[in-house]
Amino acid sequence: MKKFRAELEIIGINPFVFVPEEILAEIFLHAGKSKGPVPVCGIINGEEYIQTLVKYSGSWRLYINTTILPDSPRRIGEVIDVAIAFDPRDRTLPPHPELVKALEDNEEAKKVFDGLSPSFQKEIVRYISYLKSEKSIADNVERAIGFLLGKNRFIGRDRP
C-alpha cells in the first residue's frame, strides 16, 4: 500500500484527490491495465475504503464520497492522508435470485437484458440487490421486466 497526502478538491459536486503519478504507475502495473475503471482500496484519515479510480477530463481521480470521509463536500481544501493499493478482489454483484427467476421465465426480457451494456445490466442488478423488503424486491423485479419489455420506465430511464 502506497501512502501520500493530498488536498481535497472538488469537480462539480464530487470531492476528489489526485493520485501521484508514481503511485498510479504502480497501481496500473498491479492491475495490468491503465484504462477504464481501476478498483482500489486503502485508508483515508485512518478509515478503510473501497473505491474505483477513474479518469475524467484527462486526469485520474480518487473520488472521496461521504461514506469514505464524512462531510467531504464541506472539507474542500483540507489535506488528507491517503493510503492506496490496487484491489484484486472480485466485485461482481450477483443478481438477486428473484431477478434471475423472472428473466428465466421471460425469454424476451432476458434477450433484451443480455443485449444491454454491461454497465446498464450492473445498474439494474445493483438497484434490485440493495432492496430490503420482499415486497419492494418483487415490485421492482416486476418493474424491471416491464421495462425490458418496453412497457414502463425503470430507475428513471426509458428502455434504450
Side-chain angles (χ1 to χ4, degrees), residues 1-2 39-51 62 68 81-87 89 91:
M1 194 157 305
K2 293 293 183 180
V40 294
C41 61
I43 300 169
I44 291 183
N45 284 3
E47 298 294 325
E48 291 186 12
Y49 70 89
I50 296 174
Q51 187 60 293
L62 175 63
I68 296 171
D81 294 311
V82 180
I84 189 169
F86 169 65
D87 185 2
R89 293 176 286 189
R91 295 188 182 177

Side-chain angles (χ1 to χ4, degrees), residues 37-84:
V38 178
V40 294
C41 61
I43 300 169
I44 291 183
N45 284 3
E47 298 294 325
E48 291 186 12
Y49 70 89
I50 296 174
Q51 187 60 293
T52 304
L53 277 176
V54 293
K55 192 171 188 178
Y56 178 76
S57 290
S59 298
W60 285 92
R61 303 166 197 269
L62 175 63
Y63 288 94
I64 313 293
N65 60 36
T66 55
T67 303
I68 296 171
L69 184 67
D71 294 325
S72 58
R74 294 192 192 108
R75 297 169 80 161
I76 305 308
E78 182 178 323
V79 175
I80 61 175
D81 294 311
V82 180
I84 189 169

Side-chain angles (χ1 to χ4, degrees), residues 116-131:
L116 296 174
S117 69
S119 62
F120 199 6
Q121 289 178 5
K122 184 177 178 180
E123 187 175 346
I124 292 169
V125 167
R126 184 182 309 142
Y127 183 84
I128 292 172
S129 293
Y130 288 131
L131 296 171

Side-chain angles (χ1 to χ4, degrees), residues 96 126-133 136-138 140-141:
H96 192 281
R126 184 182 309 142
Y127 183 84
I128 292 172
S129 293
Y130 288 131
L131 296 171
K132 303 288 184 221
S133 76
S136 64
I137 291 167
N140 281 280
V141 165

